[in-house]
Amino acid sequence: VQKFITNEKVFNTIKSGEQISLIKAIIDENRTSYADSRLRLRLVEDLKVAEHKIDKGTFLYANVSGFSAQRVQLTIYSIMHKDQILPVKLEIYDQDGQAGLYVPESQFREFGREISSNSAQGININQQAENNAQLLMSTLQRMFQSTTTAINKHIRKNKAKIKYNTHVYLIDSSTKNTGR
């Protein structure tokens, strides 16, 4: 996978036959992304995959492949082109030259984690009544525990808000091609 370069001759120009540049794309939607979710990108320039030319403006779809320290890792595994699926492995790089998109840590998310983990601790429903009342209280306690467990899982889940029109670079991970 590489940037598509035309071999047009330019009058009175001295340059090497090899042009160095990265494959550019933009994020084409606002999305809150989770692990294994899909994100749509749009090519800003033509792309060459084997003998196929992928035109600029074509939509590509990246999978969120992981989260690391304030970064969302994105990978493109295939491109649909004229009723053909072209297998690729393109990693997404941010404008700072590092793999993945930079997403600053949310303070609200950390605050929410603390509240949810602390609120579930130390709550105990007293069961001092007849058998029917004990059954009702036991059922309420189980419902409360399962609800707080579900809320804890949702709050602790890694997620990132990714903004429309963010410029990114695509790099073929099989060759670590930087555009050469």
Side-chain angles (χ1 to χ4, degrees):
V1 178
Q2 59 188 358
K3 182 177 178 178
F4 185 82
I5 300 170
T6 60
N7 290 331
E8 295 177 6
K9 303 292 181 189
V10 180
F11 183 71
N12 287 341
T13 302
I14 299 174
K15 64 179 180 176
S16 67
E18 209 175 294
Q19 294 180 352
I20 298 173
S21 64
L22 299 168
I23 302 166
K24 298 174 187 161
I26 61 169
I27 307 292
D28 197 56
E29 61 185 343
N30 283 323
R31 166 90 33 132
T32 299
S33 295
Y34 302 93
D36 297 323
S37 63
R38 182 182 86 163
L39 183 67
R40 185 176 66 206
L41 296 110
R42 187 168 22 104
L43 285 174
V44 175
E45 52 199 10
D46 295 336
L47 179 69
K48 182 179 177 185
V49 178
E51 70 275 356
H52 303 283
K53 178 188 175 198
I54 313 296
D55 295 324
K56 83 177 190 178
T58 301
F59 293 118
L60 304 178
Y61 296 93
N63 291 337
V64 176
S65 53
F67 292 85
S68 61
Q70 297 186 352
R71 298 197 87 75
V72 178
Q73 305 300 323
L74 298 164
T75 308
I76 299 172
Y77 293 106
S78 62
I79 297 173
M80 182 69 121
H81 177 68
K82 296 182 182 177
D83 297 331
Q84 289 184 329
I85 297 173
L86 307 175
V88 297
K89 188 169 182 190
L90 299 172
E91 293 178 2
I92 309 300
Y93 279 68
D94 205 345
Q95 292 180 335
D96 60 5
Q98 296 182 28
L101 290 177
Y102 173 72
V103 179
E105 190 72 26
S106 168
Q107 292 179 357
F108 174 78
R109 191 167 144 219
E110 292 301 317
F111 177 69
R113 282 185 181 178
E114 284 183 31
I115 288 177
S116 68
S117 64
N118 292 338
S119 66
Q121 297 173 357
I123 295 177
N124 196 0
I125 299 175
N126 293 330
Q127 298 178 0
Q128 299 173 355
E130 298 296 322
N131 288 338
N132 291 340
Q134 285 180 348
L135 179 63
L136 177 65
M137 293 302 282
S138 175
T139 304
L140 287 173
Q141 185 175 11
R142 286 187 198 135
M143 287 173 47
F144 178 76
Q145 287 174 343
S146 63
T147 303
T148 55
T149 301
I151 290 171
N152 282 338
K153 284 183 181 178
H154 182 69
I155 289 174
R156 290 176 189 257
K157 191 174 189 179
N158 283 325
K159 59 184 174 184
K161 289 185 180 180
I162 300 175
K163 295 182 180 180
Y164 172 78
N165 211 21
T166 301
H167 290 262
V168 295
Y169 301 106
L170 311 179
I171 296 186
D172 187 351
S173 63
S174 64
T175 60
K176 287 295 180 194
N177 182 6
T178 58
R180 288 185 210 160

